Amino acid sequence: MAATAETGINRGKAAIFDLDGTLLDSMGVWDQVDIDFLSRRGIEVPDDYMTKVAAMQFRQIAEYTIARFGLQDTPEELMQEWDDMARVMYSTVVEAKPFACEYLRRLRDSGARLAVATSLPPALREPAMRHVGIFDYFNEIVSVDDAGDVGKDRPDVYLLAASRLGIMPEDCTVFEDLLVGMRSAKSVGMKVWAMHDDSSDLDWSEICELADGVMFDFHDAPRRL
């Protein structure tokens, strides 16, 4: 794939993938972490809690959780506890969404450049990606932490992924399960394909109106970017 000498921009297409709920069938992991974490403190998970924190980055979730439930923990203590609980599950239990590995292989073989744009910290994302066999397909892996701790309610992490791939935003297709992330990607001219996940049920009708395409597994994914 050639790049222009003046700009360093590659002529080609790119795919940028979310992890949780998109490539990884992992949202149940966080549901269980939430249940176990709050249960240790004698608290039942409120119906709206998981929806409220879905688009936040890790520290934001910790700060919100402390404020909402009046906890005495520091954000660092919460993040460490969650990290310890999740690390085992991400490296041993999480599975890839159906046909994800085959689709990534097809895209890579077509010459497309591939990136991950995630809210997961490195201690969780790399073990999970290696566990399900997708780590080596990607040219770049970035997180909201790399994008100045800006959550997916803004397009920073998607733009960072595009920049590192050397592909213009309008030549990028984002695969995402969260409505807030889809809005951000669309706002900078990227195409969006929506993966259905239980976490997106409440927003599904709006997602269907916004996205360029929708899918329930990667068998439904676009053959061309």
Side-chain angles (χ1 to χ4, degrees):
M1 186 180 296
T4 65
E6 295 83 4
T7 66
I9 298 298
N10 291 293
R11 298 190 184 98
K13 299 290 186 179
I16 301 172
F17 293 86
D18 169 61
L19 283 178
D20 271 338
T22 301
L23 281 174
L24 301 178
D25 190 6
S26 55
M27 298 310 288
V29 168
W30 286 109
D31 291 350
Q32 193 60 50
V33 167
D34 291 338
I35 292 168
D36 293 346
F37 169 81
L38 290 175
S39 178
R40 292 175 181 178
R41 290 155 175 81
I43 302 170
E44 289 190 13
V45 181
D47 292 339
D48 66 336
Y49 175 75
M50 294 172 186
T51 302
K52 291 281 189 182
V53 303
M56 297 181 188
Q57 56 100 355
F58 218 36
R59 173 170 283 276
Q60 286 177 317
I61 298 173
E63 293 170 347
Y64 172 80
T65 302
I66 290 168
R68 177 158 184 178
F69 300 110
L71 304 180
Q72 299 302 309
D73 309 77
T74 66
E76 289 74 19
E77 289 170 341
L78 258 67
M79 289 188 290
Q80 186 61 58
E81 185 172 346
W82 289 336
D83 191 59
D84 292 341
M85 296 169 70
R87 187 181 294 114
V88 173
M89 299 185 75
Y90 269 87
S91 61
T92 60
V93 176
V94 166
E95 297 297 338
K97 289 278 189 170
F99 306 107
C101 295
E102 295 89 339
Y103 186 64
L104 293 172
R105 186 182 307 116
R106 187 183 308 125
L107 286 183
R108 181 197 62 184
D109 292 347
S110 76
R113 293 180 63 77
L114 307 181
V116 162
T118 180
S119 298
L120 283 178
L124 298 182
R125 67 181 183 241
E126 184 169 338
M129 293 174 70
R130 291 190 183 280
H131 171 63
V132 303
I134 63 174
F135 183 82
D136 292 330
Y137 289 121
F138 292 94
N139 303 100
E140 297 288 342
I141 300 173
V142 300
S143 73
V144 294
D145 302 314
D146 301 314
D149 288 334
V150 175
K152 287 188 171 181
D153 55 327
R154 288 165 53 187
D156 300 47
V157 70
Y158 305 110
L159 290 172
L160 177 61
S163 175
R164 291 193 178 179
L165 290 174
I167 302 290
M168 295 294 291
E170 57 267 28
D171 292 320
C172 295
T173 300
V174 170
F175 295 82
E176 178 65 76
D177 70 306
L178 291 179
L179 176 60
V180 65
M182 297 176 204
R183 286 174 176 156
S184 294
K186 292 285 283 186
S187 75
V188 291
M190 296 179 175
K191 293 181 181 177
V192 169
W193 271 71
M195 171 64 77
H196 181 271
D197 192 69
D198 290 345
S199 62
S200 62
D201 274 340
L202 294 177
D203 296 321
W204 189 243
S205 60
E206 192 170 351
I207 286 172
C208 290
E209 292 180 5
L210 176 71
D212 295 285
V214 299
M215 54 191 181
F216 287 80
D217 61 43
F218 280 96
H219 186 266
D220 302 328
R223 292 298 179 262
R224 292 183 178 181
L225 296 179

